[in-house]
Amino acid sequence: MDAKLLLIVIDGVPYRNFRRLFGNLEGWVDSDAARVWKHRSVLPSISAPCYASLHTGVSPAVHECTGNHAVFRLKQADVFSQVRAAGGVTGAVAHSFWSAFFNRAPFDPVRDIEYDEPQSGSINHGRFHTMEGYGLANQMTPSDADLFATLTRLCTRFDLNYGIYHSCTLDSMGHRFFHDCQEMDDACAKMDQMLAPYIIKWRAAGYEVIVTADHGQDARGHHGGRDPLQQETALYYFGEADGPDPDTVIDQLQLAPTILSRLGAPIAATMQAPVFLT
Ligand SMILES: [Zn+2]
Protein backbone atom coordinates (compact mmCIF):
# COMPACT_ATOMS: atom_id res chain seq x y z
CA MET A 1 0.00 0.00 0.00
CA ASP A 2 1.37 3.40 -1.01
CA ALA A 3 -1.50 5.70 -0.02
CA LYS A 4 -1.54 7.44 3.36
CA LEU A 5 -4.38 9.04 5.31
CA LEU A 6 -4.92 10.39 8.83
CA LEU A 7 -8.36 10.70 10.45
CA ILE A 8 -8.41 13.37 13.16
CA VAL A 9 -11.45 13.10 15.47
CA ILE A 10 -11.85 16.05 17.84
CA ASP A 11 -14.57 14.79 20.17
CA GLY A 12 -17.77 16.79 20.62
CA VAL A 13 -17.40 19.81 18.33
CA PRO A 14 -20.68 21.18 16.93
CA TYR A 15 -20.68 22.42 13.34
CA ARG A 16 -20.96 26.05 14.39
CA ASN A 17 -17.87 25.87 16.63
CA PHE A 18 -15.68 24.50 13.85
CA ARG A 19 -16.89 27.15 11.41
CA ARG A 20 -16.75 30.09 13.82
CA LEU A 21 -13.65 29.34 15.93
CA PHE A 22 -11.12 27.23 13.95
CA GLY A 23 -9.39 30.00 12.04
CA ASN A 24 -6.57 27.95 10.53
CA LEU A 25 -8.94 25.30 9.17
CA GLU A 26 -11.26 27.97 7.77
CA GLY A 27 -8.33 29.85 6.23
CA TRP A 28 -7.30 26.72 4.37
CA VAL A 29 -10.87 26.40 3.07
CA ASP A 30 -10.61 29.99 1.79
CA SER A 31 -7.31 29.24 0.06
CA ASP A 32 -8.66 25.99 -1.50
CA ALA A 33 -6.17 23.84 0.43
CA ALA A 34 -9.11 22.18 2.19
CA ARG A 35 -12.79 21.51 1.60
CA VAL A 36 -15.48 21.46 4.26
CA TRP A 37 -18.90 19.83 4.54
CA LYS A 38 -21.48 19.30 7.22
CA HIS A 39 -21.16 15.80 8.78
CA ARG A 40 -24.19 14.24 10.53
CA SER A 41 -23.60 11.60 13.19
CA VAL A 42 -25.57 8.41 13.67
CA LEU A 43 -28.18 8.12 16.40
CA PRO A 44 -27.68 8.01 19.29
CA SER A 45 -25.23 10.93 18.94
CA ILE A 46 -23.21 9.54 21.87
CA SER A 47 -19.44 9.07 21.74
CA ALA A 48 -18.97 5.29 21.85
CA PRO A 49 -21.72 4.44 19.32
CA CYS A 50 -20.34 7.17 17.04
CA TYR A 51 -16.76 5.81 17.22
CA ALA A 52 -18.08 2.36 16.38
CA SER A 53 -20.08 3.66 13.41
CA LEU A 54 -17.29 5.93 12.13
CA HIS A 55 -14.97 2.96 11.85
CA THR A 56 -17.34 0.12 10.84
CA GLY A 57 -19.71 2.02 8.57
CA VAL A 58 -22.73 0.37 10.20
CA SER A 59 -25.37 1.97 12.44
CA PRO A 60 -25.68 1.43 16.21
CA ALA A 61 -28.76 -0.69 15.46
CA VAL A 62 -26.37 -3.12 13.74
CA HIS A 63 -23.18 -2.95 15.84
CA GLU A 64 -25.25 -2.84 19.08
CA CYS A 65 -23.16 -0.32 20.99
CA THR A 66 -25.94 1.71 22.62
CA GLY A 67 -23.91 4.11 24.80
CA ASN A 68 -20.65 4.75 26.62
CA HIS A 69 -21.46 1.93 29.07
CA ALA A 70 -21.49 -0.64 26.22
CA VAL A 71 -17.89 -1.03 25.04
CA PHE A 72 -16.86 -4.45 23.73
CA ARG A 73 -14.93 -5.94 20.82
CA LEU A 74 -17.09 -5.25 17.78
CA LYS A 75 -17.90 -8.10 15.41
CA GLN A 76 -18.00 -6.11 12.17
CA ALA A 77 -15.08 -5.42 9.84
CA ASP A 78 -13.68 -1.92 10.29
CA VAL A 79 -11.14 0.45 8.77
CA PHE A 80 -8.18 -1.05 10.67
CA SER A 81 -8.96 -4.64 9.67
CA GLN A 82 -9.54 -3.71 6.03
CA VAL A 83 -6.30 -1.70 5.80
CA ARG A 84 -4.41 -4.62 7.32
CA ALA A 85 -6.02 -7.02 4.83
CA ALA A 86 -4.62 -4.82 2.05
CA GLY A 87 -1.12 -4.85 3.57
CA GLY A 88 -1.21 -1.36 5.10
CA VAL A 89 0.27 -0.34 8.46
CA THR A 90 -2.14 1.12 11.04
CA GLY A 91 -1.77 3.30 14.11
CA ALA A 92 -3.94 4.98 16.73
CA VAL A 93 -3.50 7.72 19.32
CA ALA A 94 -6.86 7.69 21.03
CA HIS A 95 -9.10 7.04 24.00
CA SER A 96 -8.97 3.42 25.15
CA PHE A 97 -12.47 2.74 23.78
CA TRP A 98 -10.88 2.62 20.30
CA SER A 99 -8.54 -0.20 21.37
CA ALA A 100 -11.38 -2.15 23.00
CA PHE A 101 -13.74 -1.78 20.04
CA PHE A 102 -11.28 -2.65 17.31
CA ASN A 103 -8.50 -4.74 18.88
CA ARG A 104 -9.26 -6.40 22.21
CA ALA A 105 -11.55 -5.98 25.23
CA PRO A 106 -11.61 -5.35 28.08
CA PHE A 107 -8.87 -2.70 27.95
CA ASP A 108 -5.97 -3.77 30.20
CA PRO A 109 -4.06 -0.58 31.07
CA VAL A 110 -0.65 -2.23 31.40
CA ARG A 111 -0.96 -4.47 28.35
CA ASP A 112 -2.82 -2.01 26.15
CA ILE A 113 -1.68 1.51 27.08
CA GLU A 114 0.87 1.24 24.27
CA TYR A 115 1.68 -1.58 21.88
CA ASP A 116 3.62 -2.28 18.71
CA GLU A 117 2.30 -5.42 17.05
CA PRO A 118 3.43 -5.66 13.42
CA GLN A 119 1.50 -8.89 12.82
CA SER A 120 -1.82 -7.60 14.17
CA GLY A 121 -4.88 -7.82 11.95
CA SER A 122 -6.12 -4.61 13.52
CA ILE A 123 -4.07 -1.83 15.19
CA ASN A 124 -0.31 -2.23 14.68
CA HIS A 125 0.89 0.76 16.72
CA GLY A 126 -1.40 1.98 19.50
CA ARG A 127 -0.96 4.73 22.10
CA PHE A 128 -4.00 5.06 24.34
CA HIS A 129 -5.30 6.93 27.38
CA THR A 130 -8.28 6.08 29.61
CA MET A 131 -9.33 9.38 31.24
CA GLU A 132 -9.89 7.28 34.38
CA GLY A 133 -11.33 9.55 37.08
CA TYR A 134 -13.01 11.89 34.56
CA GLY A 135 -15.65 14.19 36.02
CA LEU A 136 -17.11 17.66 35.69
CA ALA A 137 -14.36 19.33 37.75
CA ASN A 138 -11.45 17.21 36.53
CA GLN A 139 -11.25 16.51 32.79
CA MET A 140 -8.34 14.06 32.96
CA THR A 141 -7.56 14.78 29.28
CA PRO A 142 -3.97 14.76 27.98
CA SER A 143 -2.70 17.85 26.14
CA ASP A 144 -3.57 17.63 22.46
CA ALA A 145 -0.14 19.07 21.62
CA ASP A 146 1.42 15.94 23.15
CA LEU A 147 -0.99 13.63 21.35
CA PHE A 148 -0.46 15.29 17.95
CA ALA A 149 3.28 14.85 18.46
CA THR A 150 2.77 11.20 19.40
CA LEU A 151 0.81 10.50 16.22
CA THR A 152 3.46 12.24 14.15
CA ARG A 153 6.14 10.15 15.86
CA LEU A 154 4.26 6.97 14.94
CA CYS A 155 3.99 8.16 11.33
CA THR A 156 7.73 8.79 11.05
CA ARG A 157 8.87 5.68 12.98
CA PHE A 158 6.51 3.16 11.43
CA ASP A 159 5.49 4.76 8.13
CA LEU A 160 1.79 4.40 8.89
CA ASN A 161 -0.58 4.13 5.95
CA TYR A 162 -3.55 4.86 8.17
CA GLY A 163 -3.61 6.59 11.53
CA ILE A 164 -6.40 7.81 13.74
CA TYR A 165 -6.26 10.59 16.30
CA HIS A 166 -8.94 11.09 18.91
CA SER A 167 -9.16 13.19 22.08
CA CYS A 168 -11.98 14.38 24.32
CA THR A 169 -10.66 17.81 25.34
CA LEU A 170 -13.37 19.90 23.68
CA ASP A 171 -16.18 17.48 24.51
CA SER A 172 -15.17 17.74 28.17
CA MET A 173 -14.94 21.54 27.94
CA GLY A 174 -18.44 21.67 26.45
CA HIS A 175 -19.93 19.50 29.19
CA ARG A 176 -18.20 21.65 31.79
CA PHE A 177 -18.53 25.24 30.50
CA PHE A 178 -21.13 25.00 27.68
CA HIS A 179 -20.53 27.00 24.50
CA ASP A 180 -21.28 30.71 24.83
CA CYS A 181 -18.29 31.55 27.02
CA GLN A 182 -14.67 32.66 26.93
CA GLU A 183 -13.46 29.25 28.10
CA MET A 184 -14.82 27.51 25.00
CA ASP A 185 -13.68 30.26 22.61
CA ASP A 186 -10.17 29.91 24.01
CA ALA A 187 -10.18 26.11 24.03
CA CYS A 188 -11.24 25.94 20.36
CA ALA A 189 -8.68 28.56 19.32
CA LYS A 190 -5.92 26.70 21.16
CA MET A 191 -6.93 23.39 19.59
CA ASP A 192 -6.86 24.99 16.12
CA GLN A 193 -3.39 26.43 16.77
CA MET A 194 -2.03 23.15 18.19
CA LEU A 195 -3.40 21.19 15.22
CA ALA A 196 -2.43 23.52 12.36
CA PRO A 197 1.39 23.04 12.36
CA TYR A 198 0.88 19.27 12.29
CA ILE A 199 -1.44 19.45 9.29
CA ILE A 200 1.38 21.19 7.43
CA LYS A 201 3.81 18.42 8.47
CA TRP A 202 1.41 15.60 7.60
CA ARG A 203 0.62 17.04 4.17
CA ALA A 204 4.35 17.44 3.49
CA ALA A 205 4.81 13.77 4.43
CA GLY A 206 2.23 12.72 1.82
CA TYR A 207 -0.84 12.18 4.01
CA GLU A 208 -4.38 13.06 3.09
CA VAL A 209 -6.03 14.43 6.23
CA ILE A 210 -9.65 14.41 7.43
CA VAL A 211 -10.52 16.53 10.48
CA THR A 212 -13.94 16.06 12.05
CA ALA A 213 -15.77 15.18 15.28
CA ASP A 214 -17.85 12.22 16.39
CA HIS A 215 -20.91 14.42 17.14
CA GLY A 216 -21.82 18.00 18.11
CA GLN A 217 -23.09 19.47 21.39
CA ASP A 218 -26.04 21.75 22.12
CA ALA A 219 -25.97 25.00 24.12
CA ARG A 220 -26.06 23.06 27.41
CA GLY A 221 -23.24 20.77 26.31
CA HIS A 222 -25.59 17.86 25.73
CA HIS A 223 -25.61 15.34 22.88
CA GLY A 224 -27.26 12.00 22.24
CA GLY A 225 -30.39 12.90 20.32
CA ARG A 226 -31.53 14.32 17.01
CA ASP A 227 -31.12 18.05 17.69
CA PRO A 228 -28.94 19.42 14.83
CA LEU A 229 -26.55 21.01 17.34
CA GLN A 230 -26.05 17.56 18.90
CA GLN A 231 -25.85 15.58 15.68
CA GLU A 232 -24.05 17.88 13.23
CA THR A 233 -20.35 18.65 13.02
CA ALA A 234 -18.00 19.74 10.23
CA LEU A 235 -15.68 17.59 8.12
CA TYR A 236 -12.54 19.15 6.61
CA TYR A 237 -10.66 17.29 3.89
CA PHE A 238 -7.09 17.93 2.74
CA GLY A 239 -6.20 15.91 -0.34
CA GLU A 240 -6.42 15.49 -4.06
CA ALA A 241 -9.81 13.77 -4.40
CA ASP A 242 -12.98 15.39 -5.71
CA GLY A 243 -15.87 15.76 -3.27
CA PRO A 244 -19.58 16.54 -3.45
CA ASP A 245 -21.24 19.96 -3.65
CA PRO A 246 -20.53 22.27 -0.69
CA ASP A 247 -24.07 21.99 0.69
CA THR A 248 -23.97 18.18 0.82
CA VAL A 249 -24.37 16.62 4.26
CA ILE A 250 -21.97 13.69 4.80
CA ASP A 251 -23.57 10.75 6.61
CA GLN A 252 -21.32 9.30 9.31
CA LEU A 253 -21.62 5.84 7.77
CA GLN A 254 -19.86 7.15 4.64
CA LEU A 255 -16.56 7.72 6.47
CA ALA A 256 -15.33 4.13 6.68
CA PRO A 257 -15.87 3.15 3.03
CA THR A 258 -14.53 6.51 1.85
CA ILE A 259 -11.29 6.17 3.86
CA LEU A 260 -10.78 2.65 2.53
CA SER A 261 -11.43 3.84 -1.01
CA ARG A 262 -8.79 6.57 -0.65
CA LEU A 263 -6.28 4.01 0.65
CA GLY A 264 -7.03 1.46 -2.07
CA ALA A 265 -8.17 -1.11 0.52
CA PRO A 266 -11.21 -3.37 0.05
CA ILE A 267 -14.54 -2.00 1.29
CA ALA A 268 -16.24 -4.60 3.52
CA ALA A 269 -19.61 -5.94 2.36
CA THR A 270 -21.19 -4.53 5.54
CA MET A 271 -20.16 -0.96 4.58
CA GLN A 272 -23.13 -0.02 2.41
CA ALA A 273 -23.01 3.80 2.44
CA PRO A 274 -21.70 5.56 -0.68
CA VAL A 275 -18.12 6.82 -0.96
CA PHE A 276 -18.03 10.67 -1.00
CA LEU A 277 -14.44 11.32 -2.20
CA THR A 278 -13.54 10.12 -5.72
ZN1 LIG B 1 -17.94 12.16 21.83
Side-chain angles (χ1 to χ4, degrees):
M1 181 180 288
D2 295 323
K4 302 199 285 189
L5 187 146
L6 299 176
L7 174 64
I8 310 300
V9 180
I10 310 292
D11 201 295
V13 182
Y15 179 79
R16 64 178 180 180
N17 280 16
F18 267 129
R19 301 307 311 270
R20 124 189 125 85
L21 294 168
F22 282 68
N24 279 293
L25 293 180
E26 289 293 312
W28 279 317
V29 172
D30 284 355
S31 69
D32 294 328
R35 297 198 58 188
V36 63
W37 297 274
K38 194 171 276 186
H39 162 200
R40 183 177 293 137
S41 84
V42 294
L43 289 171
S45 53
I46 298 172
S47 294
C50 289
Y51 310 158
S53 290
L54 269 170
H55 234 239
T56 60
V58 303
S59 70
V62 174
H63 61 59
E64 299 183 339
C65 171
T66 52
N68 294 335
H69 60 284
V71 177
F72 51 88
R73 181 66 169 92
L74 295 167
K75 294 188 289 287
Q76 288 80 15
D78 77 291
V79 175
F80 293 125
S81 65
Q82 296 301 107
V83 172
R84 290 297 297 138
V89 178
T90 65
V93 176
H95 189 281
S96 55
F97 283 7
W98 291 84
S99 183
F101 273 142
F102 305 110
N103 198 2
R104 51 185 172 245
F107 186 84
D108 179 322
V110 175
R111 180 192 61 186
D112 297 328
I113 202 79
E114 71 167 68
Y115 48 78
D116 296 296
E117 300 174 352
Q119 306 307 319
S120 171
S122 174
I123 301 168
N124 295 126
H125 303 286
R127 304 289 184 271
F128 297 98
H129 56 274
T130 65
M131 291 173 60
E132 186 69 31
Y134 164 78
L136 205 59
N138 188 346
Q139 294 195 184
M140 304 300 277
T141 48
S143 169
D144 291 88
D146 297 345
L147 299 185
F148 290 133
T150 302
L151 177 63
T152 308
R153 181 79 179 134
L154 292 185
C155 291
T156 54
R157 274 182 79 190
F158 301 111
D159 200 21
L160 304 184
N161 295 101
Y162 174 68
I164 187 169
Y165 177 94
H166 163 260
S167 93
C168 287
T169 306
L170 295 184
D171 179 78
S172 299
M173 290 294 291
H175 287 301
R176 185 177 184 184
F177 294 106
F178 307 156
H179 291 269
D180 188 14
C181 61
Q182 288 180 325
E183 289 86 351
M184 183 57 83
D185 293 348
D186 182 64
C188 289
K190 285 205 168 76
M191 180 71 81
D192 178 68
Q193 289 170 54
M194 287 180 189
L195 170 60
Y198 286 103
I199 289 181
I200 295 169
K201 288 186 209 301
W202 299 331
R203 293 292 289 143
Y207 286 92
E208 296 188 21
V209 180
I210 293 173
V211 180
T212 190
D214 52 343
H215 52 73
Q217 277 193 349
D218 68 15
R220 292 195 293 266
H222 186 70
H223 56 91
R226 197 186 280 287
D227 183 312
L229 282 172
Q230 299 176 27
Q231 208 178 356
E232 291 175 357
T233 184
L235 185 149
Y236 297 86
Y237 168 68
F238 298 77
E240 292 67 43
D242 286 328
D245 292 338
D247 58 354
T248 302
V249 178
I250 307 294
D251 185 290
Q252 192 154 61
L253 302 185
Q254 294 180 263
L255 269 283
T258 299
I259 290 166
L260 293 171
S261 162
R262 294 307 302 151
L263 290 169
I267 295 170
T270 44
M271 299 175 182
Q272 296 283 316
V275 166
F276 68 88
L277 295 172
T278 53

